[in-house]
Amino acid sequence: MRQPAVPAEVGIAAQRAGLQSLIDEEESRLEALGFTGDNLLAEPCRPLTPETMRLLAGLLEELYANIAKHADPGDWYAICVTFDTDAIHVSASDTIASDDTRLGLGSGLDRYRTIIETCGGTFQTHTEQAHWQLEAVIPINGDR
């Protein structure tokens, strides 16, 4: 027997609530470490596939982990997620800590760069002096 279709609005609301919960949890972790920032999440235009949701959630987790490891808690950070009909736009910025000697494996963002560029998106980072920025566009053409 076939399940009745869930209206798109219900799926969108559930996905946004899941993403907001992840962001709230990560923001609380950073606040406990002394960080202050903006965490902005727009309303998705349509439901995303489970694969796209996992990609977006994983990228966000990686960005928050990198802020905790490498950013200056005395300076503001920002993460913003917006949606249009064809893509998810993720931007992040922070100030690199002057004593950033905590080395990670260095492969997290490179892995996301590869995944996003392989599916036709863009992934750019820029560092000028101690200011770090990321702009990523994840296509959602196949998500319906």
Side-chain angles (χ1 to χ4, degrees):
M1 191 158 168
R2 186 167 209 167
Q3 294 286 340
V6 176
E9 296 79 24
V10 174
I12 290 169
Q15 287 180 338
R16 188 181 189 288
L19 290 169
Q20 188 63 59
S21 177
L22 180 149
I23 289 168
D24 291 346
E25 186 176 309
E26 296 291 349
E27 180 180 21
S28 292
R29 282 191 192 137
L30 288 179
E31 284 176 352
L33 295 171
F35 287 89
T36 304
D38 287 321
N39 302 276
L40 306 171
L41 176 64
E43 188 75 25
C45 297
R46 60 183 179 193
L48 305 173
T49 65
E51 295 80 16
T52 301
M53 280 293 293
R54 280 192 297 276
L55 174 60
L56 178 56
L59 175 60
L60 290 172
E61 289 169 349
E62 183 67 26
L63 290 171
Y64 284 107
N66 282 353
I67 290 168
K69 276 189 218 174
H70 304 292
D72 183 342
D75 285 329
W76 205 260
Y77 75 88
I79 294 182
C80 180
V81 181
T82 61
F83 302 85
D84 61 31
T85 56
D86 298 324
I88 303 165
H89 301 266
V90 179
S91 62
S93 66
D94 61 49
T95 301
I96 301 167
S98 59
D99 64 346
D100 183 23
T101 57
R102 294 165 282 190
L103 298 175
L105 296 176
S107 62
L109 287 180
D110 285 342
R111 185 170 67 88
Y112 284 99
R113 175 190 305 274
T114 300
I115 294 167
I116 291 168
E117 288 178 348
T118 299
C119 71
T122 60
F123 189 103
Q124 299 174 332
T125 59
H126 178 74
T127 305
E128 186 171 320
Q129 297 173 350
H131 186 72
W132 180 86
Q133 292 179 276
L134 169 134
E135 295 290 333
V137 178
I138 304 167
I140 55 173
N141 297 338
D143 293 19
R144 294 281 176 200

